[in-house]
Amino acid sequence: MLEEGGFSAAGERLGMVQPAVSIAVRKLEENAGVRLLDRSGSRVQSTHEGALFLNHARMIRAEIVSMERQLRELRSLDAGHIKIATPPIASAVLLPGLAKEFLAAHPGVRVSTIEDSSENIAARLRARDLDLGIIAGAHDTAGLDVVLVEQHPIVAWTSAQSPLARETELDWKRILEEPLILFPAGYNQRSLVEDMAAKLGKKPDVRVESKSQGFLSEMVASGRGLLVAFAGMGRDFDSNVRIPITGNPAVPFWLCRREGLAPGLAANAFFDRVAARFAKAV
């Protein structure tokens, strides 16, 4: 009414007859408990309370328009946010390849990555603290949808100056005779070494323990020991030598979401796209 100057003009704009507009305003005033309009003059004006009401109504309308726009963007994946957690190795060598095609198709989607252990990632997915996660190795996946995305080889890393650098393959007996550089307990590489040591009745001679890839690389390069780790350790390890292990051990990597659906449309679209890609590969 204020924008159009009267009940009749407002009715025409709203597609309502004038009596219906009058009834609607009266109900608003009854619910608010105050007069919103001054009808005493030739042109309808707002009261002080009406001006306050109108200001808030315009802000609410703007918020609704913004919400509707954002929902349209989410439905079309022109916007959105994916929160994904990975083990350190996956964020460096696996996630970029999985995300590249999806983000090229949906450049408006934002991705946030977090590095954590596989055990913690699985728990955080169940607790709805994450949209998606990548977990490595054999873990309890109850309550999760999973898709196998890679079997990543485990190798032995040594210094280029070490006599072992000339070997074409090492078995576990030979590996466990060497001083070792290992990831902390809970990492798949560490668990594999400990399992093989138990089977062979040996105790690993652990000289260095760290989860920092840069530090581990420096320790290998300086000859402090043999590192059992993933083959794709990144550029930090370019100066070191990797040696295959007898039996070609590998660790599976799984893309996971909470069973049913992830919290966001973008996360579900990402998961479904990766799942379809690897289903075709099989």
Side-chain angles (χ1 to χ4, degrees):
M1 276 76 68
L2 295 174
E3 291 176 352
E4 297 299 326
F7 286 87
S8 297
E12 291 180 6
R13 177 174 171 179
L14 296 171
M16 300 169 62
V17 296
Q18 188 269 335
V21 175
S22 298
I23 293 171
V25 172
R26 192 179 309 119
K27 287 183 177 179
L28 276 177
E29 291 178 322
E30 289 174 358
N31 290 334
V34 294
R35 287 182 61 225
L36 300 175
L37 298 177
D38 180 359
R39 304 168 178 81
S40 60
S42 59
R43 183 180 177 87
V44 177
Q45 294 181 328
S46 69
T47 62
H48 175 74
E49 294 83 358
L52 179 66
F53 185 95
L54 179 62
N55 183 49
H56 282 277
R58 283 171 172 166
M59 288 191 292
I60 292 170
R61 183 173 64 181
E63 286 296 321
I64 291 173
V65 170
S66 176
M67 177 192 69
E68 291 174 339
R69 176 185 57 78
Q70 291 179 52
L71 288 174
R72 286 195 300 272
E73 289 176 347
L74 286 172
R75 286 194 296 269
S76 62
L77 293 181
D78 290 332
H81 181 212
I82 302 173
K83 185 179 179 182
I84 182 168
T86 73
I89 184 67
S91 65
V93 302
L94 183 56
L95 183 58
L98 295 178
K100 183 178 179 180
E101 182 182 346
F102 180 85
L103 293 178
H106 307 289
V109 173
R110 296 183 298 115
V111 176
S112 299
T113 64
I114 303 163
E115 290 189 354
D116 207 340
S117 68
S118 293
E119 184 176 354
N120 287 344
I121 291 169
R124 292 176 68 177
L125 283 168
R126 295 188 188 97
R128 304 189 182 190
D129 186 38
L130 297 169
D131 297 321
L132 301 173
I134 294 176
I135 62 175
H139 289 272
D140 179 13
T141 58
L144 303 177
D145 292 330
V146 301
V147 56
L148 179 64
V149 294
E150 185 173 79
Q151 291 275 4
H152 200 94
I154 296 288
V155 300
W157 288 92
T158 190
S159 165
Q161 286 72 45
S162 168
L164 291 175
R166 296 190 293 271
E167 299 290 336
T168 58
E169 184 177 276
L170 293 176
D171 62 24
W172 284 106
K173 183 175 181 297
R174 182 72 178 87
I175 289 170
L176 291 167
E177 291 172 350
E178 294 292 320
L180 296 176
I181 301 169
L182 295 179
F183 279 84
Y187 282 76
N188 286 280
Q189 305 96 308
R190 176 67 170 263
S191 299
L192 182 60
V193 172
E194 291 175 343
D195 289 345
M196 296 308 300
K199 288 180 181 179
L200 295 172
K202 291 182 174 290
K203 183 179 180 180
D205 179 13
V206 182
R207 301 291 180 88
V208 178
E209 180 179 304
S210 176
K211 61 182 179 181
S212 167
Q213 293 191 33
F215 180 71
L216 291 171
S217 175
E218 289 295 328
M219 292 298 97
V220 172
S222 65
R224 291 291 297 168
L226 195 67
L227 171 68
V228 175
F230 290 114
M233 289 295 286
R235 294 179 181 177
D236 287 338
F237 280 74
D238 285 351
S239 63
N240 295 313
V241 176
R242 61 185 177 189
I243 308 168
I245 298 174
T246 302
N248 298 315
V251 171
F253 281 81
W254 311 85
L255 177 66
C256 311
R257 69 180 173 191
R258 186 173 54 82
E259 193 171 60
L261 289 175
L265 291 173
N268 286 316
F270 181 88
F271 183 94
D272 292 341
R273 188 176 191 129
V274 171
R277 170 183 164 188
F278 283 93
K280 290 178 182 178
V282 175

